[in-house]
C-alpha cells in the first residue's frame, strides 16, 4: 500500500493546516454557535476564493461571447455592456452550430436511451438469478469500468466501415450505447438487489410472467436509479470528442465537440464567435446540472455508501 | 468523464434470490450482451491481435511477432516520442494528485463543517468538471492568448507585466498549463467524493477523541485521514486512468502534434497521430502496438492500486 498512499499522506499536512485553522476555534466555540473567528474567516476566504477561481473562466466565456471582437482586442477585460448577440447568430447559422447541436442532442438522447433500456433488462436478470454464468457475465460487464476501451478504436472503425456506418449517427449511437452498459448495469443491479424477492413471488402468484413482473412491479420502484443513470451517462456522451473525431468524417454529421474543433480552425481570429460557440456547447450541461444536482452528486459518489 | 467510483463487484447481500429461470434470465441479458460483445469485447481482442501483424495500408500482411513493439523502442520518431509523451502523462498524474489531495481535500474538509452555502459551493466547484474537456481546453487557450488574453491582461493590470508571456507558445510553460488546466477541471470530483466520505465518519468517534483531549490536528491525522483511505484510493485510481487517457485537453491546447515541439504530447495523442495522421504504411501495426502497451499499463497499474488499497483497508478496519 505504502507506494500509493504515501504521496497523499505526505500532501495531507498542508490541507490539514487549513482544517486546523478553522476547526480549532470552532471546536472551542462548540460547533453549534459559530463565532466569527480568525480561523473561520480564513476558511471562508479560501472557499470563496476557490469558488471564484473555479467559476471565473466560465463566466468570462459567457461574458465575452456577448462582446465584439474589437472590443476584446482593445480591452481584454470588460463587461458586455450593452450585450451583443450577433456572435450567437453567426455561430448558430454561419458556422453550422445548429447542425452540430441537433446532431449532439439526437446522438446523446438515443444512446442514453439505448444503454439504459438494455442495462435495465440485464441488471434485473443479474439481481434475480443465481448461477455462475450470470456472475461471470456481470463480471465481464463490470470490467468495462476500468478498461481503456477507447484504444480499440481501429477495429471499431473497420467494423463500422464494413457495415457502411462511418459518418452515420446510428453507428455512434450503438457505440455509446455499448459504452454505457458497464456503469448502468452496475448502478441498476445494486438497486434491484435491494428490492425484496417477495415482490416477485407475489407477482407470480398473481399470474404475472417474468417480463410483466419486471415492467409493472420493478421498474416503477427503481426510478431514482434510472434518473441517476440517465443524467450520469448524458454528460460523457454529450462531451465526448474522441469517437466522433474518428468515426464521423462528414461535416453534416459532426457532433458539437468535433464541430468546435473545425470551427476553431476556421474562425481563429473571431473571438466573439469562438466564445459563443463554446457557450452554446456548455449551456445544456449547465441546465442539466441545475435540474439534477442530486442525481449528479449521487452518481459521482456511487459506491461510496457501501 | 468515465468517473466510476465503483471498483468493487457489488456485494451480494439482502434480497438476492432466484426469481428468474436461466432461460428467462438469458433473454433479459441478451440485448446488452450483444451490444457489449460487438462494440467492446470484439474490438478489444482484435486490436490486440493487430499489433502482431505487418500492415500495408488497411491490408493485413504476415504475422510478425513482436516486431512492431521492437520498432516502437528502436526507430525514430517512436523511440523519442514515446518516452517524451509518457513523461507528460506521468506529470499529469502527479500534478492532478497533488492538487486534488491538497486543495481538493482542504475544500472538502472546510465544506464538511459548513452549514450554509454548502450546496452552492459544491455546485461552483463541480461545474468545470461537467463541462466538456475540449471546451475547457479551448477556453483556456483563448484566456492564455499572448496579446489579448485576459490572463496576461490581469498580470499587466496588477503590475506583474513581466510575467505575462505566451504561455502555450513556450515549451517550458506549455506542459504546466496542460497539467494545471486538467487539475483545475478535475477538482470537483474529489471535493464531492471526499465530502461524501467525510459525511460517513460517525461524529461520535471525533467527539470521544476530543473529550480525551486530542487536538484538531491529531483527530484529523488519526481518525479522519485513515477513514478517508478508501476515497483517496478511488481518487488515485481514477486520476491515474484519467491522466493516462488524457486526450481532449492536450488536443485543444497543443493540437494533435502536441505543440510547441512535442511539449504537450501525451500517449493518446501519439496513438491517434500514428494511426490516423502518420501516413506510414504500417500505421495500423505500430499504432496497435502503442495501444496494446498503453492498455496493459493502464489496466495493470489500476489493478495494482486497487489491490494494494484493499489490503490497506483490511489492515485499517
Amino acid at each position: 500500500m505504502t507506494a500509493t498512499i504515501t504521496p497523499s499522506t505526505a500532501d495531507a499536512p498542508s490541507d490539514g493546516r487549513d482544517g486546523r485553522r478553522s476547526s480549532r476555534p470552532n471546536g472551542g466555540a462548540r460547533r453549534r454557535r459559530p463565532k466569527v473567528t480568525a480561523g473561520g474567516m480564513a476558511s471562508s476566504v479560501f472557499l470563496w476564493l476557490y469558488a471564484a477561481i473555479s467559476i471565473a473562466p466560465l463566466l468570462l466565456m459567457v461574458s465575452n461571447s456577448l462582446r465584439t471582437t474589437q472590443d476584446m482586442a482593445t480591452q481584454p477585460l470588460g463587461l458586455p455592456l450593452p450585450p451583443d448577440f450577433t456572435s450567437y447568430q453567426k455561430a448558430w447559422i454561419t458556422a453550422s452550430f445548429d447542425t452540430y447541436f441537433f446532431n449532439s442532442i439526437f446522438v446523446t438522447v438515443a444512446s442514453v436511451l439505448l444503454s439504459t433500456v438494455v442495462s435495465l433488462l440485464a441488471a434485473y436478470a443479474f439481481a434475480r438469478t443465481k448461477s455462475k454464468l450470470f456472475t461471470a457475465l456481470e463480471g465481464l460487464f463490470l470490467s468495462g469500468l476500468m478498461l481503456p476501451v477507447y484504444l480499440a478504436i481501429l477495429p471499431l472503425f473497420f467494423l463500422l466501415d464494413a457495415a457502411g456506418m462511418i459518418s452515420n449517427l446510428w453507428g455512434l449511437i450503438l457505440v455509446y450505447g455499448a459504452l454505457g452498459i458497464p456503469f448502468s448495469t452496475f448502478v441498476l443491479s445494486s438497486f434491484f438487489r435491494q428490492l425484496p424477492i417477495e415482490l416477485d413471488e407475489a407477482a407470480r402468484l398473481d399470474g404475472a410472467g417474468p417480463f410483466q413482473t419486471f415492467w409493472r412491479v420493478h421498474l416503477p420502484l427503481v426510478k431514482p436509479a434510472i434518473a441517476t443513470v440517465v443524467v450520469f451517462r448524458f454528460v460523457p456522451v454529450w462531451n465526448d470528442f474522441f469517437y466522433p473525431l474518428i468515426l464521423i468524417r462528414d461535416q453534416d454529421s459532426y457532433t458539437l465537440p468535433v464541430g468546435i474543433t473545425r470551427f476553431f480552425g476556421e474562425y481563429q481570429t473571431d473571438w466573439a464567435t469562438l466564445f459563443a460557440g463554446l457557450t452554446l456547447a456548455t449551456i445544456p450541461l449547465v441546465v442539466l446540472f441545475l435540474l439534477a444536482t442530486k442525481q449528479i452528486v449521487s452518481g459521482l459518489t456511487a459506491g461510496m455508501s457501501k | 468523464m468515465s468517473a466510476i467510483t465503483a471498483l468493487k463487484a457489488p456485494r451480494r447481500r439482502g434480497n438476492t434470490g432466484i426469481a428468474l429461470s436461466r432461460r428467462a434470465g438469458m433473454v433479459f441479458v441478451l440485448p446488452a450482451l450483444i451490444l457489449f460483445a460487438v462494440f467492446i469485447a470484439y474490438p478489444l481482442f482484435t486490436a490486440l491481435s493487430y499489433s502482431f501483424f505487418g500492415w500495408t495500408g488497411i491490408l493485413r500482411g504476415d504475422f510478425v511477432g513482436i516486431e512492431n513493439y521492437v520498432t516502437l523502442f528502436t526507430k525514430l520518431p517512436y523511440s523519442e516520442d514515446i518516452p517524451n509523451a509518457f513523461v507528460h502523462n506521468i506529470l499529469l498524474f502527479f500534478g492532478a494528485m497533488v492538487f486534488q489531495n491538497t486543495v481538493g481535500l482542504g475544500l472538502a474538509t472546510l465544506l464538511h463543517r459548513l452549514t450554509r452555502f454548502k450546496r452552492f459551493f459544491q455546485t461552483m466547484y463541480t461545474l468545470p468538471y461537467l463541462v466538456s474537456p475540449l471546451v475547457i481546453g479551448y477556453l483556456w487557450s483563448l484566456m492564455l492568448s499572448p496579446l489579448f488574453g485576459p490572463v496576461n491582461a490581469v498580470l499587466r493590470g496588477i503590475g506583474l507585466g513581466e510575467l505575462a508571456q505566451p504561455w502555450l507558445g513556450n515549451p517550458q510553460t506549455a506542459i504546466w498549463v496542460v497539467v494545471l488546466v486538467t487539475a483545475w477541471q478535475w477538482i470537483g470530483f474529489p471535493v464531492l467524493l471526499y465530502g461524501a466520505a467525510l459525511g460517513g465518519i460517525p461524529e461520535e468517534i471525533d467527539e470521544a477523541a476530543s473529550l480525551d483531549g486530542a487536538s484538531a490536528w491529531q483527530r484529523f491525522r488519526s481518525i479522519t485521514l485513515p477513514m478517508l483511505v478508501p476515497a483517496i484510493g478511488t481518487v488515485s485510481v481514477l486520476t491515474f486512468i484519467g491522466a493516462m487517457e488524457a486526450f481532449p485537453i492536450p488536443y485543444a491546447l497543443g493540437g494533435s502534434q502536441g505543440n510547441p515541439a512535442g511539449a504537450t504530447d501525451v500517449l493518446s495523442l501519439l496513438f491517434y497521430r500514428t494511426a490516423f495522421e502518420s501516413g506510414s504504411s504500417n500505421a495500423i501495426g505500430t499504432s496497435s502496438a502503442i495501444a496494446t502497451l498503453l492498455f496493459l499499463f493502464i489496466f495493470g497499474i489500476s489493478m495494482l492500486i486497487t489491490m494494494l488499497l484493499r489490503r490497506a483497508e483490511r489492515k485499517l478496519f
Side-chain angles (χ1 to χ4, degrees):
Chain A
M1 184 71 259
T2 42
T4 49
I5 284 303
T6 317
S8 34
T9 331
D11 300 336
S14 60
D15 40 72
R17 240 171 270 139
D18 286 324
R20 178 167 55 168
R21 231 185 276 143
S22 68
S23 71
R24 210 182 236 164
N26 278 353
R30 277 291 97 203
R31 193 174 301 210
R32 301 275 174 256
R33 277 187 297 131
K35 261 192 250 169
V36 182
T37 58
M41 280 293 283
S43 84
S44 63
V45 166
F46 183 54
L47 287 171
W48 282 104
L49 187 72
Y50 197 82
I53 294 174
S54 187
I55 210 72
L58 297 176
L59 290 179
L60 197 97
M61 171 178 84
V62 178
S63 143
N64 278 355
S65 72
L66 299 171
R67 299 169 67 200
T68 63
T69 307
Q70 287 107 311
D71 187 21
M72 273 182 263
T74 48
Q75 227 184 334
L77 291 170
L79 289 173
L81 294 171
D84 176 285
F85 288 92
T86 45
S87 58
Y88 281 93
Q89 197 183 0
K90 199 166 167 195
W92 190 254
I93 296 161
T94 323
S96 347
F97 256 64
D98 53 344
T99 314
Y100 307 151
F101 195 86
F102 290 119
N103 285 343
S104 267
I105 293 273
F106 174 59
V107 168
T108 310
V109 169
S111 65
V112 171
L113 196 68
L114 175 66
S115 69
T116 307
V117 170
V118 299
S119 302
L120 271 169
L121 292 166
Y124 177 66
F126 291 147
R128 286 296 183 258
T129 50
K130 257 185 187 163
S131 89
K132 287 217 171 86
L133 175 70
F134 288 97
T135 315
L137 284 177
E138 193 175 6
L140 177 74
F141 284 2
L142 273 180
S143 71
L145 287 177
M146 273 176 78
L147 298 177
V149 289
Y150 74 103
L151 289 170
I153 189 74
L154 275 171
L156 201 56
F157 180 87
F158 293 135
L159 182 77
L160 289 174
D161 194 33
M165 287 178 95
I166 292 296
S167 294
N168 183 327
L169 294 179
W170 284 103
L172 209 52
I173 290 168
L174 288 170
V175 172
Y176 286 142
L179 290 173
I181 292 174
F183 175 76
S184 308
T185 42
F186 172 76
V187 172
L188 294 169
S189 67
S190 62
F191 252 78
F192 280 122
R193 286 201 169 90
Q194 288 167 16
L195 301 177
I197 193 86
E198 287 78 14
L199 279 176
D200 299 67
E201 281 155 12
R204 192 162 9 147
L205 287 178
D206 287 343
F211 188 75
Q212 265 186 313
T213 311
F214 163 78
W215 184 255
R216 293 246 182 99
V217 180
H218 284 89
L219 217 48
L221 293 171
V222 292
K223 268 186 196 154
I226 298 178
T228 300
V229 165
V230 166
V231 168
F232 209 69
R233 280 303 302 164
F234 187 96
V235 179
V237 175
W238 179 267
N239 285 343
D240 184 64
F241 167 59
F242 187 76
Y243 285 97
L245 177 70
I246 291 158
L247 301 178
I248 303 290
R249 305 263 137 187
D250 174 15
Q251 245 179 62
D252 290 336
S253 307
Y254 277 180
T255 55
L256 270 173
V258 200
I260 290 175
T261 309
R262 198 179 89 86
F263 176 63
F264 257 75
E266 277 179 22
Y267 292 78
Q268 223 156 29
T269 53
D270 189 352
W271 278 43
T273 315
L274 293 178
F275 277 117
L278 295 179
T279 309
L280 281 174
T282 309
I283 288 170
L285 289 173
V286 175
V287 172
L288 181 80
F289 187 72
L290 296 177
L291 287 178
T293 319
K294 213 180 97 200
Q295 276 80 16
I296 289 188
V297 173
S298 66
L300 282 169
T301 51
M304 277 313 291
S305 50
K306 296 186 181 168
Chain B
M1 196 176 102
S2 60
I4 291 96
T5 60
L7 298 160
K8 304 170 197 171
R11 264 175 236 169
R12 284 161 196 280
R13 58 172 179 190
N15 302 297
T16 311
I18 306 169
L20 282 180
S21 68
R22 218 175 139 121
R23 248 180 64 190
M26 221 41 227
V27 173
F28 276 88
V29 175
L30 208 59
L33 185 61
I34 292 174
L35 265 183
F36 190 89
V38 174
F39 294 102
I40 294 180
Y42 160 78
L44 269 181
F45 283 109
T46 321
L48 183 77
S49 77
Y50 280 8
S51 65
F52 296 104
F53 289 90
W55 291 76
T56 317
I58 57 162
L59 290 177
R60 201 176 71 183
D62 297 329
F63 181 80
V64 294
I66 59 162
E67 201 180 287
N68 288 325
Y69 294 89
V70 175
T71 306
L72 289 185
F73 292 101
T74 53
K75 281 204 187 128
L76 287 173
Y78 309 112
S79 59
E80 271 180 8
D81 283 357
I82 288 183
N84 177 47
F86 181 71
V87 168
H88 294 154
N89 283 102
I90 297 292
L91 269 183
L92 213 53
F93 171 62
F94 282 108
M97 280 302 282
V98 168
F99 197 65
Q100 291 174 332
N101 289 307
T102 52
V103 180
L105 185 55
L107 289 171
T109 315
L110 293 181
L111 272 188
H112 181 59
R113 292 174 222 278
L114 219 58
T115 41
R116 283 189 310 160
F117 297 126
K118 193 172 179 176
R119 218 350 112 64
F120 168 78
F121 282 119
Q122 275 181 344
T123 311
M124 293 296 109
Y125 301 155
T126 319
L127 265 177
Y129 184 62
L130 295 174
V131 175
S132 161
L134 190 79
V135 169
I136 294 291
Y138 280 130
L139 174 59
W140 279 96
S141 80
L142 292 176
M143 303 234 309
L144 293 166
S145 156
L147 283 180
F148 308 126
V151 171
N152 281 348
V154 168
L155 286 176
R156 288 192 198 101
I158 58 173
L160 291 169
E162 69 272 23
L163 282 179
Q165 55 173 303
W167 300 96
L168 286 165
N170 180 349
Q172 300 290 315
T173 50
I175 183 63
W176 293 108
V177 171
V178 175
V179 171
L180 280 177
V181 169
T182 307
W184 170 83
Q185 188 189 16
W186 286 354
I187 200 153
F189 176 62
V191 168
L192 285 182
L193 196 69
Y194 290 155
L198 288 168
I201 301 176
E203 270 183 42
E204 292 78 18
I205 303 182
D206 217 43
E207 273 165 26
S210 149
L211 285 177
D212 286 344
S215 71
W217 169 239
Q218 279 176 319
R219 277 178 284 149
F220 180 80
R221 194 57 230 254
S222 317
I223 299 168
T224 314
L225 210 53
M227 298 284 251
L228 282 178
V229 165
I232 293 175
T234 305
V235 169
S236 312
V237 176
L238 291 172
T239 306
F240 174 76
I241 296 177
M244 288 299 142
E245 295 183 350
F247 185 79
I249 290 182
Y251 187 98
L253 291 173
S256 67
Q257 305 291 325
N259 290 325
T264 58
D265 202 14
V266 289
L267 289 170
S268 294
L269 278 179
L270 180 63
F271 163 71
Y272 170 76
R273 230 171 36 233
T274 311
F276 299 99
E277 290 181 353
S278 70
S280 138
S281 70
N282 191 25
I284 295 179
T286 326
S287 64
S288 295
I290 298 177
T292 307
L293 287 181
L294 186 54
F295 181 91
L296 292 176
F297 186 70
I298 295 176
F299 188 57
I301 300 287
S302 32
M303 287 306 274
L304 188 74
I305 303 180
T306 314
M307 217 178 67
L308 292 172
L309 190 76
R310 277 191 208 160
R311 196 179 297 165
E313 273 180 53
R314 268 202 301 276
K315 236 182 254 172
L316 279 167
F317 302 115

